[in-house]
């Protein structure tokens, strides 16, 4: 079976968040199951600079606002991908400095709708084998709003392949007005409340939802949550109108990149059967050094709570910033925070680091090595996300023997088993969950975690439970394959490593 996997980012070529991790590891897991899964990405400058001589497969003729335009299709090979990767090369849209969605100064590119409409059209043409490559996918798997128009453009083909659309985050949708809609030369009938029109605007995300054959999202709990007004960002009714179309499949993680036994970004390796604490301590020291910590901070034996992530409201960064002073007041502990994002959240964290120089260590930036050192070198990992479709960091942290403290929402609820007395007794506990994203609840969870941390034997058992979890992609890949084939996914059935 041939799958064309369309994504706007993929690690290690270009990454802003978890979608990139999924776009690397899911196609590989599908190939390991015997499928021919190929990735297609925009040829951003950042991606092109990583390849010396991409092969030109051909030229696609695309209708754009500026008239008919030609996009080249390039083919590159990279060790991270089992199959060749297609790049859609449209220099006016993608060959620019900055991120995939944002200007270097941090604001969204004003022509994002146009850029990703072009990308989506190109994907549909590639799926129709417009270049006569002799490669025609059975299924096109699109991801998030950037590829929301892929199922729409596929619907125009005489024999469209099956389409699956994955929601990684329903809060991001890319809406525009009728002027832009006309400018993008979209078929008039798409401006309908039954298709892409959304409260008087056009939504790229809604197009993906209505035109595709199957919708998935990245955890069973998030699949339930987005059908409610509180989490659905206006799309609950669209999803409820065809409940059988939506399936929750938990993301896996790349267990090769994230492996404490051989992760090249760590300074000391460890596993279940080797001494864990000394290796974690060495990684902590390396992390402290990179964070520019004072000697007092480096030598401290206080528990270290880590956070890595985009500094945005979704991640509960404001809640973390409100809770840090309370936790520092009540406990001997340190925080290490790595992230970039909204200037007001960056400023709040910077102020906390300034006020508590030996106890709050901060790196405002994107740093892959530091993220790995933090997962390994911290004692606890905190994710107070207000909502979290899946979340990958909590799975990385469990694998690195760093129990997470999480708000029980979305994929966090599906992957972390609370250290309640009952779950500690039956050996299932892997971390700490709290019910409401409020300072009181997070503070209580931190206190519970520190109380258990004071008992080395109980703590080691908790760490090892997390390290033993199987978060590999194989099981989820098989669930996708069943949906690709048109089979039913047992609705919201929870995999066996979830809450008992
Ligand atoms: P989201 O996709 O919502 O940002 P996920 O938990 O799914 O959240 O994935 C985030 C990914 O991005 C993880 O691999 C995480 O380690 C990485 N990441 C986020 N911010 C940073 C940062 N500042 N430095 C390094 N890695 C980061
Ligand atoms: C999104 C979500 C995150 C998820 C990731 C990969 O960015 O915010 O929870 O893990 O996509 O699916």
């Amino acid at each position: 079976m041939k799958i064309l996997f369309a994504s706007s980012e993929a690690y290690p070529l270009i990454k802003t968040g978890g979608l990139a991790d999924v776009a690397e590891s899911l196609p590989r897991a599908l190939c390991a199951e015997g499928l021919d899964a190929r990735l297609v990405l925009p040829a951003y400058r950042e991606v092109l600079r990583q390849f010396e001589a991409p092969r030109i497969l051909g030229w696609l003729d695309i209708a754009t606002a500026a008239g008919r335009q030609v996009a080249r299709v390039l083919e590159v090979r990279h060790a991270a991908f089992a199959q060749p990767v297609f790049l859609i090369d449209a220099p006016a849209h993608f060959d620019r400095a900055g991120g995939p969605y944002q200007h270097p100064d941090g604001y969204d590119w004003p022509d994002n709708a146009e850029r990703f409409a072009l990308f989506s059209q190109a994907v549909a043409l590639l799926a129709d084998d417009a270049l006569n490559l002799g490669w025609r996918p059975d299924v096109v798997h699109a991801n998030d709003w950037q590829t929301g128009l892929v199922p729409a453009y596929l619907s125009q083909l005489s024999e469209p392949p099956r389409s699956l659309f994955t929601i990684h985050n329903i809060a991001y949708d890319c809406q525009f007005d009728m002027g832009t809609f006309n400018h993008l030369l979209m078929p008039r009938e798409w401006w309908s409340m039954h298709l892409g029109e959304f409260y008087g605007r056009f939504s790229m995300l809604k197009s993906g939802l209505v035109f595709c054959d199957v919708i998935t999202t990245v955890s069973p709990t998030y699949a339930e949550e987005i059908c409610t007004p509180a989490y659905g960002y206006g799309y609950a009714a669209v999803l409820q109108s065809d409940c059988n179309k939506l399936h929750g499949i938990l993301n896996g993680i790349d267990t090769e990149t994230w492996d404490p036994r051989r992760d090249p970004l760590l300074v000391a390796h460890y596993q279940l059967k080797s001494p864990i604490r000394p290796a974690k301590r060495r990684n902590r020291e390396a992390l402290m050094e990179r964070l520019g910590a004072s000697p007092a901070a480096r030598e401290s034996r206080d528990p270290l709570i880590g956070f890595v992530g985009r500094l945005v409201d979704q991640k509960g960064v404001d809640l973390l910033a409100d809770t840090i002073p309370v936790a520092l007041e009540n406990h001997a502990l340190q925080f290490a925070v790595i992230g970039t994002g909204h200037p007001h959240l960056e400023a709040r964290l910077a102020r906390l680091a300034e006020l508590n120089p030996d106890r709050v260590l901060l790196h405002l930036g994107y740093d892959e090595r530091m993220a790995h050192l933090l997962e390994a070198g911290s004692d606890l990992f905190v994710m107070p996300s207000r909502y979290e479709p899946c979340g990958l960091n909590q799975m990385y942290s469990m694998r690195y023997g760093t129990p997470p403290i999480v708000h029980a929402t979305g994929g966090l609820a599906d992957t972390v088993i609370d250290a309640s007395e009952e779950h500690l007794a039956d050996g299932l506990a892997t971390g700490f969950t709290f019910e409401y994203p409020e300072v009181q609840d997070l503070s209580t969870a931190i206190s519970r975690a520190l109380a258990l941390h004071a008992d080395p034997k109980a703590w080691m058992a908790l760490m090892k439970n997390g390290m033993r979890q199987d978060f590999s992609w194989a099981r989820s890949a098989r669930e996708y394959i069943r949906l690709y084939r048109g089979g039913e996914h047992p609705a919201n059935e929870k995999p066996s490593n979830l809450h008992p």
Side-chain angles (χ1 to χ4, degrees), residues 18 32 50 59 71 95 116 118 162 181 206 265 285 289 313-314 405 423 445:
Q50 298 172 53
W59 289 259
D95 184 7
F116 290 101
L118 173 130
R162 194 168 163 78
F181 177 82
K206 188 178 170 199
L265 300 179
E285 282 159 14
E289 198 181 320
D313 293 342
Q314 174 196 346
I405 301 175
H423 292 151

Side-chain angles (χ1 to χ4, degrees), residues 14-27:
I14 180 106
K15 168 167 167 176
T16 71
L19 170 60
D21 294 12
V22 173
E24 177 212 9
S25 41
L26 175 55

Side-chain angles (χ1 to χ4, degrees), residues 8-22 24 41 44 46-47 50 99-101 257-258 308 310 366 368 371-372 392-393 396:
S8 55
E9 50 183 278
Y11 182 81
L13 301 176
I14 180 106
K15 168 167 167 176
T16 71
L19 170 60
D21 294 12
V22 173
E24 177 212 9
L41 275 181
Y44 305 109
E46 186 55 38
V47 171
Q50 298 172 53
Y101 325 121
T257 302
W258 293 93
V308 179
R310 294 179 294 118
Y366 190 93
E368 202 76 40
H372 284 239
L392 300 172
N393 280 309
Y396 302 152

Side-chain angles (χ1 to χ4, degrees), residues 72-115:
R72 293 196 310 178
V73 181
L74 310 176
E75 183 190 86
V76 293
R77 287 176 187 266
H78 188 284
F81 304 96
Q83 293 291 351
V85 175
F86 299 118
L87 302 178
I88 303 302
D89 184 28
H93 295 74
F94 301 119
D95 184 7
R96 42 176 93 165
Y101 325 121
Q102 290 186 333
H103 186 274
D105 288 347
Y107 59 83
D108 286 351
W109 292 113
D111 57 349
N112 270 344
E114 184 173 339
R115 297 168 73 228

